Amino acid sequence: MRLPSYRRHSGGQARVTIAGKDYLLGKYGSKESKQKYNRLIAEFVASGQSPTFGVKPSEITVFELTASYVKFAKQYYGTGPTSELLQSRVAIRTLKNLYGSEPAIEFGPLQFKAIRSHLQLPVVIKRKDGSKRKKLRSRRYLNATMKRVRRIFRWAASEGILPASIYEGLKCVDPLKAGRTSAPERCKVKPVDPETVDATLRHLPKVVADMVRFQQLTGCRPGELCKITPAMVDRSGDVWEVHLDKHKTAWRGKQRVIYVGPKAQLIFKPYLLRSADANCFSPREAMKQRLSAKQEARVTPLNQGNKPGTNRKKNPERIPKDAYTSGSYARAIRYACKKAWPVPKGLDRDQARQWENDHCWSPNQVRHALATRIRKTDGLEAASVLLGHAEVATTQIYAQADKEKAIQVIRRLG
């Protein structure tokens, strides 16, 4: 963005226009006016070129505050599917809906609690058939959302937009405590047993099945698994290393290495035969495999009926992408679970939904299963390194020792 220029006012003074407001700097061309200009520009840049720069705290509305925060969050957190900005959308939307036109400086503990009470109301979810159902937000979700509301005012205080006393007041409101609120508790993620995984694998495309097997042997996060490219893989040792630049804890200065043992290498090796920057696991490749298998199973002679590829839509609504996301990966597993354990006849809608929830598992449960296994056999330290949970200070002190221990464990497990 172009910075505001140093200009001459008709009265002979220097001036600059920042965020729609004119600032008189003194005699045009003087040393004092240029110093004042440089100071104002430095403060404007330090504010992230905020549209609220120079506005009195008493004149800033919640609408203006959230607009400035969103601008900051886009640059700082990014706009990816798992970014903090996307995770904050409910907090920002509720804050604007209830207090958008109110002065931000008047926001306090009472208004904070009012937002939390509003979020505790049932959420109406529309089904595909047009019917509706109600859902309550969990206690942990409410606390996380309110923490994001508080973060907006902490950011405003750090930027000098609002006085720090507002944020200090919000800190006085305790989070919802277990057993002392009507908000439901979210079910903890439990490890999935190998038998359940094996039963599901039979109904998965080969690419997704290999992703699950690879995750079983390495314990990587679903998001990390979807991002792997051949360029990230170091195959110089008997245990391969996948070095990820972008991962969940990269912003903390942590390094993330996925260790790939002999068994996992057999699964992984065919997916390295592509360009260095291409994603190893691709929905487009899974689609090709499915169509190829369908063609091989064809009973009708090729000189009769439709020829392969002639009955496809010219402009399909969904086109397979080059890479899976953690969401599409999880949906593929859930779809296979429904095939492996179909809903029994005679159940109503709520009972059928409960059946599906009881018999479906997520990729993170595979990771939890390996963590539990390693912790029992080799201790918490090895599990922390393999799963990328070690603190920065601990990693710096014990990096080499932990790495050797992790390699020994993964070499044995495969």
Side-chain angles (χ1 to χ4, degrees):
M1 184 176 177
R2 188 176 178 180
L3 293 176
S5 59
Y6 176 90
R7 308 193 317 277
R8 184 187 183 101
H9 191 264
S10 58
Q13 292 198 62
R15 70 170 177 177
V16 62
T17 304
I18 301 177
K21 182 179 179 180
D22 282 340
Y23 294 84
L24 295 178
L25 309 174
K27 186 178 179 180
Y28 181 79
S30 66
K31 183 178 179 181
E32 292 77 12
S33 67
K34 291 182 179 180
Q35 285 179 340
K36 190 173 181 180
Y37 168 77
N38 291 333
R39 175 174 59 80
L40 284 170
I41 292 299
E43 291 176 355
F44 180 54
V45 172
S47 73
Q49 302 186 19
S50 171
T52 58
F53 179 82
V55 181
K56 294 180 181 179
S58 59
E59 298 175 354
I60 298 173
T61 65
V62 171
F63 273 132
E64 293 170 328
L65 175 65
T66 53
S68 297
Y69 179 77
V70 168
K71 181 181 178 180
F72 154 77
K74 283 182 179 178
Q75 296 176 346
Y76 190 78
Y77 297 116
T79 57
T82 59
S83 67
E84 177 61 24
L85 175 60
L86 192 66
Q87 299 296 322
S88 302
R89 64 190 186 278
V90 172
I92 294 172
R93 183 173 65 241
T94 309
L95 185 60
K96 291 194 299 183
N97 289 344
L98 293 185
Y99 295 101
S101 60
E102 299 297 316
I105 200 169
E106 295 180 4
F107 192 89
L110 180 62
Q111 291 75 19
F112 186 81
K113 290 181 178 180
I115 288 180
R116 188 169 66 185
S117 297
H118 180 78
L119 290 173
Q120 287 182 270
L121 297 174
V123 181
V124 179
I125 300 175
K126 292 183 179 180
R127 294 188 175 101
K128 291 182 180 180
D129 59 1
S131 59
K132 299 177 181 179
R133 69 180 182 89
K134 293 183 178 181
K135 180 182 178 181
L136 291 173
R137 296 182 173 97
S138 69
R139 180 185 64 86
R140 285 184 61 187
Y141 179 85
L142 290 169
N143 284 340
T145 302
M146 298 313 298
K147 187 177 180 181
R148 291 185 169 100
V149 173
R150 194 184 290 117
R151 184 178 296 145
I152 294 173
F153 288 89
R154 183 183 68 182
W155 169 82
S158 70
E159 297 294 321
I161 298 173
L162 294 175
S165 58
I166 297 177
Y167 171 64
E168 293 298 327
L170 301 184
K171 284 172 62 178
C172 296
V173 181
D174 290 331
L176 297 175
K177 306 292 185 182
R180 298 184 180 181
T181 176
S182 59
E185 292 295 321
R186 186 172 65 183
C187 297
K188 293 183 179 180
V189 179
K190 297 180 180 179
V192 59
D193 59 271
E195 293 77 15
T196 301
V197 175
D198 291 340
T200 311
L201 289 176
R202 293 192 289 269
H203 300 276
L204 283 170
K206 186 179 184 305
V207 173
V208 183
D210 285 342
M211 291 171 71
V212 174
R213 294 187 183 101
F214 183 82
Q215 197 181 6
Q216 278 184 306
L217 296 168
T218 61
C220 60
R221 296 182 178 95
E224 296 169 347
L225 176 63
C226 298
K227 294 175 183 176
I228 297 176
T229 64
M232 300 177 184
V233 186
D234 178 6
R235 290 183 273 178
S236 58
D238 60 331
V239 172
W240 296 353
E241 298 180 8
V242 181
H243 296 264
L244 291 104
D245 296 328
K246 296 180 180 180
H247 54 90
K248 186 176 181 179
T249 54
W251 64 278
R252 291 181 175 175
K254 291 185 178 181
Q255 295 182 346
R256 177 67 172 121
V257 180
I258 300 171
Y259 299 102
V260 186
K263 294 179 183 177
Q265 289 172 18
L266 293 176
I267 298 168
F268 193 38
K269 195 171 183 179
Y271 296 96
L272 298 175
L273 303 175
R274 60 201 68 218
S275 61
D277 296 329
N279 291 86
C280 291
F281 302 104
S282 167
R284 192 165 292 176
E285 185 175 347
M287 176 65 76
K288 288 180 180 178
Q289 290 177 355
R290 187 178 70 83
L291 294 176
S292 178
K294 191 175 180 180
Q295 184 176 342
E296 290 178 3
R298 176 182 173 126
V299 178
T300 306
L302 290 176
N303 60 351
Q304 298 179 18
N306 294 326
K307 293 182 180 179
T310 58
N311 61 340
R312 297 178 193 170
K313 292 183 178 180
K314 292 183 179 180
N315 297 307
E317 293 181 3
R318 293 184 179 180
I319 301 175
K321 298 182 179 180
D322 293 326
Y324 282 96
T325 64
S326 54
S328 60
Y329 175 41
R331 285 192 295 272
I333 291 175
R334 187 173 182 86
Y335 183 73
C337 289
K338 291 180 181 180
K339 279 187 169 182
W341 294 281
V343 177
K345 294 181 179 180
L347 299 183
D348 60 30
R349 179 176 293 165
D350 292 334
Q351 290 173 333
R353 184 178 182 82
Q354 187 61 47
W355 171 274
E356 290 180 353
N357 290 337
D358 292 341
H359 292 81
C360 291
W361 51 273
S362 68
N364 272 320
Q365 290 179 263
V366 176
R367 178 175 159 85
H368 281 248
L370 183 65
T372 303
R373 179 181 171 191
I374 295 174
R375 184 172 180 176
K376 287 181 179 179
T377 57
D378 297 273
L380 182 60
E381 195 175 287
S384 296
V385 178
L386 284 171
L387 302 181
H389 285 165
E391 294 293 332
V392 175
T394 307
T395 304
Q396 291 174 343
I397 297 172
Y398 300 104
Q400 189 60 37
D402 285 353
K403 178 178 176 180
E404 291 301 322
K405 188 169 185 178
I407 288 177
Q408 291 174 12
V409 173
I410 208 68
R411 183 182 287 118
R412 188 182 70 253
L413 295 177

